[in-house]
């Protein structure tokens, strides 16, 4: 059942089609409780389960989660290993439910550079959900927006060099077709938890006209109510896209 949102004009507004979340605050959640950082990441996985279910019930078509950035490799090796282990567990334990719920899984970023066993698991998960016609869950793994933009520019440059593309034909739509989010609805709402107020190299092109919402809630505490509050705030925004 889709959530009903009040619009800025006082009427009823539909939920955003595409929501992205920068899931921040796992480490601080653990530190507040005198727990190791991995405990915060474990609770963060639980938040993923809750929010993915809530997004589906609210009628959100696409939920994109910043699961592991290309910069996260700079973290201690032990923490990176724990994060990869949690990803394996998530795929092992949640895939059957994802399939049963009709959710299509999509992964963006340099995920093919992960360990071979993880790549195999991700490929199998994508294949199993490919025929699903429900909402889409997008996991950004080893993702960086600047690298995505550079790769798209290189592909277009190569096509122009080879004579298969007229440079004059490169417009916004053509450029977007080379991005990893090609075919998805435009990004409507980007949420960042934990109080930080920056995009951290996430969906930079796609966020051009997205509504940005920064909330103080740490990611492990983010739940259905928090998502409903975020959607209510989105409903009160006036989206002009440069017009009046």
């Amino acid at each position: 059942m889709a959530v009903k949102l009040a619009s800025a004009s006082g009427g009823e507004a539909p939920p955003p089609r595409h929501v992205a979340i920068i899931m921040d605050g796992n480490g601080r959640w653990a530190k507040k409780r005198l727990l190791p950082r991995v405990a915060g990441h474990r609770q963060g996985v639980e938040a993923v389960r809750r929010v993915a279910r809530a997004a589906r019930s609210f009628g959100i078509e696409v939920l994109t989660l910043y699961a592991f950035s290309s910069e996260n490799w700079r973290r201690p090796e032990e923490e990176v290993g724990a994060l990869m282990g949690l990803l394996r567990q998530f795929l092992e334990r949640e895939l059957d439910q994802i399939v049963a719920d009709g959710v299509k899984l999509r992964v963006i970023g340099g995920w093919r550079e992960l360990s071979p066993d993880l790549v195999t698991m991700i490929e199998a998960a994508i294949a199993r959900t490919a025929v699903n016609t429900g909402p889409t869950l997008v996991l950004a793994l080893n993702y960086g927006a600047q690298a995505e933009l550079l790769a798209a520019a290189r592909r277009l440059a190569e096509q122009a060099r080879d004579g298969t593309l007229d440079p004059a034909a490169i417009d916004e739509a053509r450029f977007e077709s080379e991005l990893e989010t090609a075919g998805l609805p435009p990004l409507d709402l980007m949420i960042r938890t934990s109080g930080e107020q920056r995009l951290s190299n996430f969906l930079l092109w796609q966020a051009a006209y997205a509504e940005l919402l920064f909330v103080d809630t740490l990611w492990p505490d983010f739940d259905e109510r928090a998502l409903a509050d975020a959607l209510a705030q989105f409903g009160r925004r006036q989206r002009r896209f440069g017009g009046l």
Side-chain angles (χ1 to χ4, degrees), residues 23-45:
M23 306 179 293
D24 196 14
N26 292 346
R28 274 164 283 176
W29 184 94
K31 184 177 180 180
K32 285 175 62 176
R33 291 160 177 78
L34 304 180
L35 296 171
R37 287 178 61 85
V38 68
H41 293 313
R42 289 195 188 100
Q43 289 302 310
V45 173

Side-chain angles (χ1 to χ4, degrees), residues 18 48 55 72 132 184 206:
H18 186 175
V48 169
N72 285 157
N132 288 353
L184 295 177
Q206 296 85 343

Side-chain angles (χ1 to χ4, degrees), residues 145-198:
Q146 291 176 330
E148 177 188 29
L149 294 171
L150 285 171
R154 288 192 191 102
R155 285 191 293 270
L156 291 170
E158 289 167 358
Q159 293 168 31
R161 178 199 61 198
D162 296 340
T164 60
L165 175 65
D166 180 357
I170 301 174
D171 55 11
E172 289 88 346
R174 183 67 186 85
F175 191 86
E176 286 179 355
S177 72
E178 294 292 336
L179 298 178
E180 296 195 56
T181 52
L184 295 177
L187 181 60
D188 294 311
L189 173 64
M190 182 181 288
I191 303 167
R192 181 169 187 149
T193 60
S194 87
E196 301 291 347
Q197 298 187 16
R198 55 182 176 272

Side-chain angles (χ1 to χ4, degrees), residues 139 191 209 244:
L139 298 180
I191 303 167
Y209 276 103
L244 298 178

